[in-house]
Amino acid sequence: MTDHPITSQEQWLAARRELLTKEKQFTQLRDQLSEQRRQLPWVKVERAYTFQGANGPETLAQLFEGRHQLIVYHLMFAPENERACKNCSFWADHFDGIEAHLKQRDTTFAAISRAPLPKLQRMAQELGWRFKWLSCGENGFNHDFGTSFTPEERATGSIDYNFGKFPAYGADMPGISVFFRDGEQVFHTYSTYARGIDLLNTTYNYLDLTPQGRDEGSQPMSWVQHRDRYGH
């Protein structure tokens, strides 16, 4: 039997309304932050990038597919590995359902990894993923947008990640970058990393509503596996 406080319906309603006040404050603050995010200045992307995908080579401008906005998930998959990072794969399991809705708001979505295209395609087939997933190979795209790091950078013991110094855990880290296209000109408008991608994981947001929450203790995401390896 749980030792959690048990109360009457009336007492529960009082506590719930008190929490609702704070939830509304959080929602209002989030709206304000979103407005500030939209007001950030933009940076023109001067470097040419070509990606390998199911449709053959595509430039960054072509990834927009005629729309004005592009969201890129930098999916951790080093060329020497056989599968993408299990944690990034946790995020990727949520991608397929958003594409049709984003397109209705003038926005295209793509995931980009350093691993070669055949490895991406094999893993997508194994897990039933249908979202657009491209290889940036050695073109430096993920490095330029703060999610991959050279051996020399890692050898220093720290990397430039999430707009500061971060321990050099590996060659790739997660992140999301946003771009806007005006004709053939492409602008970088926003990037977020680490816990900044937290709100974009639907499973976590559902778990946050439950009594046990994420139930991760001092080892966040230690329980996560590729979903075809959970054994249930």
Side-chain angles (χ1 to χ4, degrees):
M1 184 67 180
T2 179
D3 59 0
H4 196 84
I6 306 297
T7 188
S8 67
Q9 176 69 8
E10 290 76 15
Q11 291 172 316
W12 181 88
L13 280 172
R16 179 64 189 92
R17 287 174 178 139
E18 182 178 352
L19 177 62
L20 179 61
T21 299
K22 294 183 178 180
E23 288 177 334
K24 288 184 175 182
Q25 291 171 349
F26 172 77
T27 298
Q28 292 164 0
L29 179 58
R30 185 182 173 194
D31 288 344
Q32 292 170 18
L33 287 171
S34 295
E35 179 59 30
Q36 286 185 271
R37 184 181 302 116
R38 289 188 287 271
Q39 297 303 319
L40 282 172
W42 299 350
V43 177
K44 184 179 178 181
V45 179
E46 301 284 3
R47 185 173 176 181
Y49 298 99
T50 300
F51 307 92
Q52 301 300 320
N55 299 324
E58 293 186 71
T59 66
L60 182 60
Q62 288 173 327
L63 297 190
F64 286 78
E65 299 178 351
R67 301 179 185 88
H68 288 95
Q69 301 185 136
L70 172 68
I71 299 171
V72 169
Y73 185 95
H74 302 279
L75 204 159
M76 296 168 61
F77 195 165
E80 63 272 17
N81 293 340
E82 292 305 313
R83 272 196 158 193
C85 161
K86 65 182 181 66
N87 296 345
C88 274
S89 298
F90 181 24
W91 263 253
D93 281 332
H94 302 83
F95 293 163
D96 280 331
I98 66 176
E99 181 181 22
H101 302 289
L102 289 175
K103 287 179 178 179
Q104 296 305 306
R105 305 310 299 160
D106 195 25
T107 303
T108 304
F109 177 88
I112 294 178
S113 300
R114 293 193 302 124
L117 180 62
K119 288 188 174 183
L120 309 188
Q121 292 176 323
R122 183 177 69 244
M123 185 171 181
Q125 183 176 20
E126 290 171 352
L127 292 176
W129 290 341
R130 301 182 306 277
F131 58 85
K132 189 165 188 173
W133 193 7
L134 306 107
S135 171
C136 61
E138 299 301 319
N139 72 14
F141 179 80
N142 279 3
H143 179 271
D144 292 348
F145 290 95
T147 60
S148 72
F149 311 93
T150 66
E152 293 76 17
E153 289 168 336
R154 291 154 52 206
T156 66
S158 66
I159 53 177
D160 290 318
Y161 178 66
N162 197 24
F163 311 106
K165 290 296 182 181
F166 198 86
Y169 292 133
D172 295 271
M173 295 292 283
I176 292 172
S177 293
V178 183
F179 302 89
F180 188 88
R181 181 183 61 83
D182 183 7
E184 290 304 307
Q185 294 186 104
V186 175
F187 301 91
H188 176 218
T189 68
Y190 182 72
S191 284
T192 189
Y193 311 95
R195 289 296 300 274
I197 68 173
D198 214 43
L199 285 173
L200 302 171
N201 186 307
T202 308
T203 298
Y204 265 157
N205 281 276
Y206 274 104
L207 288 174
D208 286 343
L209 304 179
T210 68
Q212 292 184 169
R214 302 185 185 190
D215 196 24
E216 294 181 324
S218 61
Q219 296 182 309
M221 304 194 74
S222 61
W223 61 276
V224 173
Q225 299 294 328
H226 293 107
R227 62 183 169 86
D228 60 346
R229 295 181 177 173
Y230 279 129
H232 60 75

